């Protein structure tokens, strides 16, 4: 199917999809840890903007550790 839409791209669907799924799982794990982690209880989810929010000091400490 991918070859029909992009005939000269030489993309293989299976490796690209597997890599994308791996990336999404890693991103989901990061967000899940932010929202439900015991040490990171200052993060919250903004339903209107569809993003994780917190104070700048909490972000800076989270980034410096990771």
């Amino acid at each position: 199917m991918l070859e029909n839409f992009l005939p000269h791209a030489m993309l293989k669907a299976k490796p690209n999809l597997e890599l994308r799924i791996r990336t999404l799982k890693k991103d989901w794990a990061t967000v899940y840890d932010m929202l439900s982690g015991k040490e990171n209880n200052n993060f919250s989810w903004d339903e209107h903007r569809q993003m994780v929010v917190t104070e700048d000091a909490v972000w800076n400490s989270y980034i410096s550790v990771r």
Side-chain angles (χ1 to χ4, degrees):
M1 180 193 279
L2 188 60
E3 293 173 355
N4 294 337
F5 292 111
L6 302 169
H8 302 291
M10 298 179 62
L11 295 174
K12 302 273 189 220
K14 187 174 180 180
N16 290 330
L17 291 175
E18 289 173 350
L19 179 62
R20 182 67 178 147
I21 289 170
R22 219 176 312 140
T23 302
L24 288 172
K25 283 182 180 181
K26 187 175 106 178
D27 292 347
W28 171 251
T30 301
V31 172
Y32 181 81
D33 288 342
M34 281 182 185
L35 295 176
S36 66
K38 294 176 183 168
E39 63 189 48
N40 300 326
N41 58 0
N42 295 324
F43 292 100
S44 61
W45 181 257
D46 184 350
E47 189 65 37
H48 179 70
R49 295 187 290 173
Q50 296 290 302
M51 61 188 279
V52 176
V53 293
T54 191
E55 298 172 0
D56 289 338
V58 176
W59 274 120
N60 292 336
S61 69
Y62 181 80
I63 291 170
S64 68
V65 170
R66 285 159 182 82

